[in-house]
Each structure stands twice: as structure tokens, then as C-alpha cells.
Amino acid sequence: MFRNMYDTDVTVWSPEGRLLQVEYAMESVKQGSACIALRSSTHSVIGALKRSVSELSSHQQKILEIDDHLGIGIAGLTADARTLAKWMRNECLNHKYVYGTAMPTGRLATDLADRHQRTTQTYVRRPYGVGLLLASFDKNGPHVYQTCPSGNVYECYATAIGARSQSGRTYLEKHHEGFDGCERDELIMHALRALVGCVSGDAELTSENGSIGVVGKDEKFTLIEHAELQPYLDRLELEGGNNGGDDEEEEKEEDAMET
């Protein structure tokens, strides 16, 4: 049995019980630039690395605002993420129009996972090639959710996805027990420390390729980039932590596509 006999359509099962097209979509997430998310008792934070296709182009946006209480970080195909972000914004607007309140993050995450899953059962559509991290603060407190092309959704204390994300995930696993009592700025610093290990090669985390989104109690979703991010990077430099060349594992070079 050849693998390519069963990967021509998303609805075809392989003899091993696998949907290969869905696995290929999940591989696209692994090739995307790294994105991490974490939360405390009062705030949720997203951190992401941005890529540019050349030195002459601007960096792609990797953190998107969905509503005042919610933002997403993306790893994978940016075009697919924009489509999902537009749908999520419409869902939040419709909920606010009908009920007069912000949409609960758990309900939106579940609906988003259902939208992912429907594409795995229809032969005329392909799975979304993007993984999303949702960070929010609603009436039930701060939340972090992770979705993937298979339709699974997870609520997390902290998580990381994308290329070279294992280094960031290791940092989060080592320090997550102390996140609950962190203030806003300290939580942002934890996000930056986790991102440093995800930077490839001899590159460093800078105000150009780094991006932070934060939302919390009495604070709407705010994107921190460029000059606003520099003070946090200066603080990280003083700690001696901005040396993004540390490799905790060997991962494939993501040269197939810019995602």
C-alpha cells in the first residue's frame, strides 16, 4: 500500500486509520513562525515571532485583535488565518448585537473548532492550514485556548505552537506554576523569555520581529510592538536572556513556504 493512494482527498481513510490530508495541514502549523500564549489570574498574553519574505518587505502580522476582550496568535498559513479572523469578528459582533454582552471565549473556541472539523468531512474543501491561540479575559476570567486543523480545541495555562516552539514550551512547562500570581509586566517578560528560544539561527528577538498582545481585567486587548516593545526587550537584554541562538532540539528548516 502506497501512502499517496490515500492522501488525494481529505475524506479518504488510510489502512492505518489516518486522514493524511489533515496531518499535512497540521504539518503546515509546525512550519509557521512560533507563537506562545500564557495567562495569570488577571491577564492573558500572546507572543509571536513575525517573518518577512525579504529585507525589503515588512513583517507579516501574527497577532490579530478579534474583539475588545479577545485576540489571536497564528502559526501556519496567514491567508487562512485572516479568513477565520473575519468569521470570528462577525460572530462576536452578532453575539453583542443580540445579547448586549461580549461573547464567551469558550463558546467561540468551540464554534471555531467545529468550523475546523467540518472541513475534514467534506471532499470539496481542504482543512485550514493554520493553528490559532486565543487569549482573552471575559466574565469568567482569563483564558487561553489552542485550536488545530483537526478540529481539536484545548484550554491551557500556557502553550506554544509553530516552528522551534519546543524551546518555548519547555520554558513554559518549567515556570507555569508561578504564572498565576504574576503582574501584567512580569507576564509579558515571561512571554518574551519563552520566545527567545524560538528564534532561529544567530538572529535575536527585536522590536521588528517580535509582537506581544495583552488583555486583562479593566484592560482591553492591546498590541505591543515596535517602540512600545523596546523597553521590555531592554529589560530582557539586561537579564542576559536575548540570545536567540540556543537550540534545545534540532528541527527542520521551514523553507517550503513563508507561513
Side-chain angles (χ1 to χ4, degrees):
M1 297 293 182
F2 294 102
R3 184 184 180 96
N4 60 5
M5 293 175 60
Y6 303 99
D7 67 356
T8 57
D9 197 283
V10 72
T11 61
V12 177
W13 290 95
S14 74
E16 294 84 11
R18 297 158 64 185
L19 292 173
L20 298 179
Q21 285 283 332
V22 177
E23 293 183 14
Y24 296 161
M26 295 172 69
E27 196 66 29
S28 176
V29 176
K30 296 178 182 179
Q31 294 185 17
S33 55
C35 184
I36 64 102
L38 61 160
R39 65 178 176 88
S40 67
S41 60
T42 57
H43 289 82
S44 297
V45 171
I46 298 178
L49 292 176
K50 297 184 292 185
R51 287 182 185 164
S52 61
V53 294
S54 73
E55 294 182 1
L56 302 177
S57 68
S58 62
H59 289 77
Q60 289 182 323
Q61 197 71 23
K62 289 294 181 178
I63 298 179
L64 306 175
E65 180 180 352
I66 301 301
D67 202 353
D68 290 341
H69 72 296
L70 170 65
I72 62 171
I74 62 178
L77 297 179
T78 308
D80 285 7
R82 288 200 307 268
T83 300
L84 290 173
K86 182 178 180 181
W87 172 82
M88 293 171 71
R89 289 173 181 137
N90 285 335
E91 290 295 299
C92 289
L93 285 173
N94 290 338
H95 187 278
K96 189 173 293 185
Y97 177 77
V98 174
Y99 299 103
T101 60
M103 187 172 188
T105 313
R107 182 182 302 174
L108 181 61
T110 302
D111 291 346
L112 175 61
D114 290 342
R115 192 172 182 85
H116 275 290
Q117 196 274 338
R118 280 196 294 271
T119 64
T120 69
Q121 289 188 299
T122 309
Y123 75 95
V124 295
R125 301 187 66 183
R126 65 165 177 81
Y128 291 102
V130 64
L132 302 180
L133 299 183
L134 287 70
S136 72
F137 189 97
D138 57 23
K139 62 182 180 180
N140 297 318
H143 300 281
V144 168
Y145 289 91
Q146 174 186 345
T147 69
C148 73
S150 65
N152 288 325
V153 59
Y154 313 95
E155 185 171 9
C156 314
Y157 290 109
T159 188
I161 58 175
R164 300 170 59 88
S165 62
Q166 181 58 47
S167 178
R169 194 177 300 113
T170 300
Y171 177 89
L172 295 173
E173 290 172 353
K174 190 178 298 184
H175 297 88
H176 77 277
E177 292 181 356
F179 291 165
D180 198 50
C182 287
E183 298 293 334
R184 175 184 184 272
D185 286 353
E186 185 56 35
L187 200 64
I188 292 174
M189 291 304 300
H190 278 300
L192 292 175
R193 295 184 193 113
L195 274 182
V196 164
C198 303
V199 180
S200 61
D202 297 327
E204 291 187 354
L205 182 63
T206 68
S207 60
E208 294 298 322
N209 66 6
S211 182
I212 294 289
V214 58
V215 63
K217 187 176 182 180
D218 301 323
E219 180 180 5
K220 295 181 179 180
F221 186 82
T222 304
L223 193 60
I224 303 174
E225 293 181 316
H226 307 303
E228 295 178 352
L229 184 61
Q230 192 59 48
Y232 296 100
L233 295 176
D234 293 340
R235 180 177 168 185
L236 186 65
E237 189 71 28
L238 291 175
E239 296 176 359
N242 196 359
N243 54 355
D246 290 25
D247 291 338
E248 294 201 9
E249 66 171 13
E250 290 295 329
E251 295 190 16
K252 296 186 299 182
E253 288 296 325
E254 52 274 11
D255 55 1
M257 64 181 73
E258 285 294 331
T259 55

